[in-house]
Amino acid sequence: MKKRLAAVAVCLSAVLIFFALQALLTPKYITEAQEGNLLAEYYDSGKNHDVIFIGDCEVYENIDPVVLWREYGISSYVRGSPQQLIWMSYYLMEETLRYEKPDVFVFNVLAMKYGEPQSEAYNRLAHDGMRLSGSKLRSVRASMTEEESFLSYLFPLLRYHSRWSELDKNDLKYWFKPAPQISCAGYLMRVDTKGIDFIPPGQELPDYRFSGLCYEYLDKMTALCRENGIELVLIKAPSLSPYWYDQWDEQIEEYAEKNDLLYYNFLEMSEQTGIDYMTDTYDAGLHLNLAGAEKLTRLMGELLMREYDLTDHRGDAAYREEWDRIAAFHDRVKAHQEKELAENGYLSGFTYFED
Amino acid sequence: MSFTSFSFALFFLVLTLLYYTVAGKKQWQLLLIAGYFFYACADPRYLIFILVTTASAYLVTMRFTALRRELGRWFDEHPELTREERKRYKEKTASRCRKWLLLAVLLNFGILFTFKYLNFFLVNLDSLFGLFGGGLPVTSVRLLLPLGLSFYIFQTIGYVADIYFGKYEAERNPFRLALFVSFFPQLLQGPIGRYNLMAPTLFASHAYDSKAVRFGLQRMLWGYFKKIVIADRLIKPVSTIGGAPEEYGGVFVLLGMLLYAAQLYCDFTGGIDITIGSAEVLGVRLSENFNRPFFSKSVAEYWRRWHITLGTWFKDYTFYPLSTSKAMMKLSKWTKGRFGPAVARRVPVYLSTVILWLATGAWHGAKWNFIVWGLGNCLVILISQELTPLYRRFYERFPKLHRSRFWDGVQVLRTNGIMCLLRTLDCYASPGAAFFAIGTIFTRMNGGALTTDALLELGLKPADIAVTAVGVLIVFAVSMAGRSGSVREKLARLPAGVRVLLFGALFFSILVFGAYGIGYDAGQFIYTQF
């Protein structure tokens, strides 16, 4: 009996050490690749969103939910991650439904251009922050490149074990606690400006058709939303790069029409958004800065209110408390970045943290 | 399914649970199924080869048995036969057996030759014809090279030869023989087993024995430490140095030699530890393949302590049959008349040694590097043998030195130096490149080139250097501790808490410091390629 107890104690200790080591060695995404924490932040948010934006950097750097709250009383969240592939987006929608049922899912269609797994680094940035679930595992399976191992997503220590020689103070500081908040309801803010006065041309492609796999997942998204009585809106954010081809746009228009979905290509709506690429982008057209994001979100809010008659929650105390907190954080980040910009003339990244 | 893959861990776990759940006879049957499954995981087509080898061994050894039984019956029925007549019948039977043996050898070595050496042979034949303005219409054939082919063919031929020489009875159950050929832990890189040594534990019924399982797991863990923490970490620097002899000459060649010694030792002994350990978990005892070879005081001794089962295989099935063959005796006699008894005594031994080393070299791979490497070993051993009288005189003159630890150390260093030089042939594309690299040690040593940046370029970050150094020190310390008896028995005498800490530390050091996953070259075991 004593021996058995000792064996159980040893096994338990081994498991504890394993998970402690795993927690220590898994990247905290504090000083580098902070986008790795974006998806994780969702779990701490109130699960009462009217609208959930899903997609890559074209949503989490271009859509500012605080604007939707302040100007329309819409409660929204951006579930975005870098180079989010369409199957990741689908499984994120699936996972979101475990927590809440929004009125609208807005999906940015740039992901349609990627018909196969792309890069381990982006896969990690997307999945490391996700909680363990069937959706996450299916997303991992769909996204893995050939060199990756499924088991290492279940036990990240198997992937990150070699970080032992790169550990820094943040790894110790956030060993057993979550990384500090960086986003405002999933939005990653930048206030600096780097304009562009022309549209970078796209290179000619041998084939403009989206892959069958992408359509398969777009169909799944459409079906998932229908089954759950959720509206699906397709958008193309007004980022100039990567180039969005007319042929791609036609395919999305055709799909939207066929499936009775709304599709907004904001690249063609600069008159309505008022986006000026000389002032409203921080990296020459790839992503919008705060000014650009506010303009785009404002129009987005108008369209959503018009099309779906969403409830204005600004008078609802249950919403207000959380949104006041998010908006305050939003303003502190903005103030911090503006100060840093004024002092240094540049921003060193999404640098605002508070514990 | 590599030993270092997660799928192997799962396979082994499930197998072990099943193994101790099923009773008695079913255990070896389960091992047979597991062996075929394990092999088929690499490529299902490989099964054809292992089946052909097994079937040929079974049929031929059964034929030996039938012929000998027939002879016995004949003698029983004819007691009137004279001694001469009996001898004649015996020879006739022996001759028929010899033909069957030849058939098995030709078939299996024919498979080995075709799939492992045919392209090498064609290319060289083409070059030879090229010297006379000719050439072959085909110089390369795309062929599958089944994993572990050299290992299980050697093991099987050893069995057939043992039965031929009447060392023990042939196995009558083809499935049991099939298990002997396909026992999964040793399938890919040995040790090359002997049937009479393996059979008692391979086919026995095993009840769960916690000590055997614990010892087996400990040995596997130790193997994984050597392979994953040390050997795989050294893949990149060794291949970088070996891949660019022009760029990495002089001091880098010396560094490469040392790193390759550590890599090869940890890779092969690590693999064998996993093999023997996993067999031990299942209650099966396999032959040891190493006996602290780096403590050898001569190259001959080194080869008695490194890859022991291959060395004894060649000694038993090549060297002895060759050096004692009638043809060799005749040759010896012929030389005695012309060159005297000293030469005549050497001819069978030296000629057999040369053939043995040519074969050993070729066994390691279809490359001139290995042929030259084999002959290099042979040359060193023969020279050393020729110098024996000289050494003896030297030791008589300096008896104290001979018995001193200092001299032991000098001999160990000398042996390792020679082995490092010979192993250089493994690391370079051709013997010429290897000799060029060795030459640069003398022509442009340039120790100053060994800067931190240069090491970084080789893939040796300070952290990697630290892990490798500590790892090698631990391996060395364990080797030293092993000189006075089994290390595991010594550890078993330690308090349970200390053991748990030690093996826990070993386990977690593999997990954390192991060179596996993305960012590291996935390291196949070096010897699975031989």
Side-chain angles (χ1 to χ4, degrees), chain A residues 248-258 263 265 268:
Chain A
W248 289 354
D249 201 53
E250 282 161 20
Q251 290 174 75
I252 297 294
E253 269 182 3
E254 194 183 317
Y255 184 88
E257 201 177 312
K258 197 172 137 196
Y263 169 51
N265 179 356
E268 291 175 354

Side-chain angles (χ1 to χ4, degrees), chain B residues 230-242:
Chain B
I230 305 173
D232 284 358
R233 180 163 262 107
L234 297 175
I235 294 173
K236 195 178 173 199
V238 169
S239 59
T240 308
I241 292 171

Side-chain angles (χ1 to χ4, degrees), chain B residues 177-216:
Chain B
L177 181 63
L179 172 59
F180 167 69
V181 179
S182 66
F183 183 50
F184 76 89
Q186 61 177 153
L187 197 49
L188 303 185
Q189 56 179 343
I192 300 167
R194 302 291 173 98
Y195 183 81
N196 56 328
L197 299 178
M198 276 178 72
T201 54
L202 188 60
F203 305 117
S205 165
H206 298 284
Y208 178 79
D209 174 357
S210 69
K211 188 184 172 189
V213 170
R214 206 172 55 239
F215 269 34

Side-chain angles (χ1 to χ4, degrees), chain A residues 93-273:
Chain A
M93 278 185 182
E94 196 183 79
E95 194 216 25
T96 305
L97 291 176
R98 289 179 63 202
Y99 296 98
E100 61 179 319
K101 203 166 151 185
D103 296 322
V104 183
F105 268 128
V106 178
F107 171 61
N108 185 59
V109 293
L110 180 68
M112 288 293 285
K113 72 182 278 226
Y114 301 111
E116 55 189 28
Q118 297 291 310
S119 116
E120 197 245 352
Y122 287 124
N123 286 344
R124 291 287 172 181
L125 288 176
H127 294 113
D128 281 357
M130 277 180 85
R131 280 188 186 162
L132 190 63
S133 68
S135 301
K136 174 176 175 170
L137 298 182
R138 285 189 287 277
S139 179
V140 166
R141 275 228 176 277
S143 310
M144 277 191 323
T145 55
E146 259 181 38
E147 60 180 354
E148 293 181 76
S149 118
F150 182 71
L151 205 60
S152 69
Y153 280 91
L154 283 178
F155 302 109
L157 176 65
L158 303 177
R159 169 64 183 91
Y160 296 120
H161 61 96
S162 56
R163 286 194 68 246
W164 64 271
S165 58
E166 298 157 16
L167 292 177
D168 60 22
K169 63 179 186 342
N170 285 319
D171 288 295
L172 296 173
K173 193 172 173 185
Y174 300 106
W175 189 351
F176 296 114
K177 65 176 184 180
Q181 184 183 354
I182 52 159
S183 83
C184 312
Y187 168 60
L188 219 43
M189 183 193 298
R190 285 284 295 242
V191 299
D192 48 339
T193 303
K194 185 181 174 189
I196 186 167
D197 56 4
F198 67 98
I199 297 177
Q203 284 183 337
E204 206 168 300
L205 302 181
D207 187 357
Y208 291 92
R209 281 171 302 176
F210 293 132
S211 88
L213 189 64
C214 289
Y215 274 119
E216 196 183 302
Y217 276 96
L218 194 56
D219 285 343
K220 281 183 169 189
M221 276 185 188
T222 309
L224 186 72
C225 289
R226 287 225 169 99
E227 278 163 26
N228 288 280
I230 298 169
E231 300 292 343
L232 176 63
V233 176
L234 307 179
I235 61 164
K236 170 64 191 83
S239 293
L240 299 179
S241 299
Y243 191 79
W244 183 250
Y245 295 91
D246 290 342
Q247 293 89 334
W248 289 354
D249 201 53
E250 282 161 20
Q251 290 174 75
I252 297 294
E253 269 182 3
E254 194 183 317
Y255 184 88
E257 201 177 312
K258 197 172 137 196
N259 290 279
D260 196 21
L261 301 175
L262 281 179
Y263 169 51
Y264 299 112
N265 179 356
F266 290 108
L267 279 166
E268 291 175 354
M269 297 168 76
S270 50
E271 287 299 317
Q272 292 94 319
T273 56

